[in-house]
Structure formats: structure tokens, C-alpha cells
């Protein structure tokens, strides 16, 4: 797609119904993001989701998708401790989670990990710039690449990850100049999230797009207000249960006349017997 100048549309999904919808809507890449920790599981940040939880989400999404590429996020501490553990966990994402590729957060310090996973035959998507797993514990969720020094460091990170064999790179919350430079100079596609318009593709978190999450980052765009829709629907249901309007005619079933009469007789006998 990059070679043909076609922009890549990527979105996250974590479950069967929304992954089906994303696939049907024509998304190119579906990311089973570790953002599930926050938008689905209500955790404080992405460091608290583990392999087992990610595998459940990956399985649900890969069952649903017939067309898009499915990428599974490697969760915090599934690839940091050793290269061997990283390869084994990436293998689990593919074999048990059913994903086509894995994504790893981190700059040049993870080039060896990327190289080892690619050598094992698993395609890797990199993720540089603001990397939420490490930002949570150190530098915070802020725009990266405002100074020339920081921007150059991100460029070097992306170049090293590309050289290590990544097939694509997510560039998160980074100044637009960094994204422009990398999209122009790297052969592999640069997928931006909060990195401006001059990327080879864009990715957003599904719950931000649908208006289902209250703490969306400033770069996210809300394309629907499902929170209001869902709230309205559940409130109407509660009201109808309380008023007795639900279930209405057509949503429950009665016995035929003969069986009702027989039941009445049986119940009357029971009452007579008990008395
Ligand atoms: O986990 C996630 O949703 C992500 C995207 C923001 C790229 O990593």
C-alpha cells in the first residue's frame, strides 16, 4: 500500500463483534492493543494487562476477522526480561492467539528482540515515540520530539527497529516533523497516532473513535457518541422493566387452551391434596 501511495487505516479491537465490524468496514489492520487494559478492563495504565488476558482478546478478534491483518500487542514484561522469553511469548500470540503479527513498544534497545522474533518467522510491528508502557513508569504521557535532540533520537530508534526487520512502525504522540521525515525515508510504512497527517497510515483506539471512553488523548477523534446511545438504551430498558412495559406482546408465549385447562386442573388437585 505504501508503494502505491495508499494510506493504511488501522484501528484497535478486542472482541468478536467489534472486530467483525472493523473488518467489514474496510480497516486494513486490526490491532489487539494493550490499550484493552484501560478501555476494556478499567486498569490504570497498560502495564497491568498480562499474556493470558491478551490471548483471550487476540483469540476473539482473530476468530472474527477474515480480511484485515491482525496484530497483537506484546504486553508489558512479556518481552523485556530476555530475548528468549520474547520469542516464546510472540510464538504464543501467533499459535494460541491466532494473530498474524506482533507489536513491540520500544526504541533501539529492543532491536535485538525484534531481530530474534523476526528470525523465528513472526512479523513484528515496532512502536516508537511516546511508548505508553514505559511512559507510565517514567517520562509521562507527553508529546515527543519537540526538541531537535529528542526528535533525532526518535528517528534513530525507528531506523534501528526498521533495520532489525520490523515490517511497519507505529509512531505515537510525536511532532509532525518526525513523522514526515520517517515516512519519507523509511521503506516500511509508518502508522501515526498523534503524529500528524504525513504518515503512511493512521491508528486510533476503537473506544475513542466510538465515544466509549472518557479519558481519550487529545489527538483522538470521536466519530460517534455511543456512550450516549448505550446509556439511553439501557435507561429505557430499566424504565420499561420497572413499568412492566417490557416484555411486551410478541416477546412471550402462552400455552394452548387445552394444556392451560389441564394445568389448572392439576394445580387445583395439588391445592386440594395439600389442604
Ligand atoms: O495499545 C494500543 O492501542 C496501541 C495503539 C495506540 C497504537 O498501542
Amino acid at each position: 500500500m505504501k508503494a502505491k501511495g495508499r494510506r493504511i487505516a488501522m484501528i484497535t479491537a478486542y472482541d468478536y463483534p467489534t472486530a467483525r465490524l472493523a473488518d467489514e468496514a474496510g480497516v486494513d489492520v486490526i490491532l489487539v492493543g494493550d490499550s484493552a487494559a484501560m478501555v476494556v478492563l478499567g486498569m490504570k495504565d497498560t502495564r497491568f494487562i498480562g499474556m493470558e488476558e491478551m490471548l483471550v482478546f487476540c483469540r476473539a478478534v482473530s476468530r472474527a476477522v477474515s480480511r484485515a491483518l491482525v496484530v497483537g500487542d506484546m504486553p508489558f514484561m512479556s518481552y523485556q526480561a530476555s530475548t528468549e522469553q520474547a520469542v516464546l511469548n510472540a510464538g504464543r500470540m501467533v499459535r494460541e492467539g491466532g494473530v498474524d503479527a506482533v507489536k513491540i513498544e520500544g526504541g533501539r534497545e529492543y532491536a535485538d528482540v525484534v531481530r530474534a522474533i523476526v528470525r523465528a518467522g513472526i512479523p513484528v510491528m515496532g512502536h516508537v515515540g511516546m511508548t505508553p508502557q514505559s511512559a507510565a513508569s517514567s517520562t509521562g504521557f507527553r508529546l515527543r520530539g519537540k526538541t531537535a535532540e529528542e526528535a533525532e533520537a526518535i528517528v534513530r530508534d525507528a531506523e534501528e527497529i526498521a533495520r532489525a526487520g520490523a515490517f511497519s512502525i507505529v509512531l505515537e504522540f510525536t511532532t509532525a516533523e518526525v513523522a514526515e521525515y520517517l515516512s519519507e525515508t523509511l521503506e516500511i510504512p509508518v502508522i501515526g497516532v498523534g503524529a500528524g497527517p504525513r504518515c503512511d497510515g493512521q491508528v486510533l483506539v476503537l473506544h475513542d473513535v466510538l465515544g466509549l471512553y472518557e479519558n481519550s488523548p487529545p489527538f483522538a477523534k470521536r466519530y460517534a457518541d455511543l456512550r450516549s446511545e448505550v446509556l439511553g438504551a439501557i435507561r429505557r430498558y430499566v424504565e420499561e422493566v420497572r413499568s412492566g412495559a417490557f416484555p411486551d406482546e410478541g416477546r412471550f408465549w402462552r400455552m394452548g387452551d387445552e394444556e392451560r385447562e389441564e394445568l389448572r386442573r392439576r394445580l387445583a388437585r395439588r391445592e386440594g391434596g395439600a389442604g
Side-chain angles (χ1 to χ4, degrees), residues 170-183:
V170 166
L171 186 63
E172 181 161 359
F173 208 10
T174 308
T175 48
E177 289 81 356
V178 176
E180 279 169 34
Y181 180 79
L182 286 173
S183 302

Side-chain angles (χ1 to χ4, degrees), residues 12 14 31 33-35 73 103 105 127 170 172 193 203 205:
T12 67
Y14 319 96
L31 170 68
D34 61 356
S35 48
D73 235 348
K103 177 167 83 56
E105 286 183 20
H127 185 158
V170 166
E172 181 161 359
V193 51
V203 55
V205 166

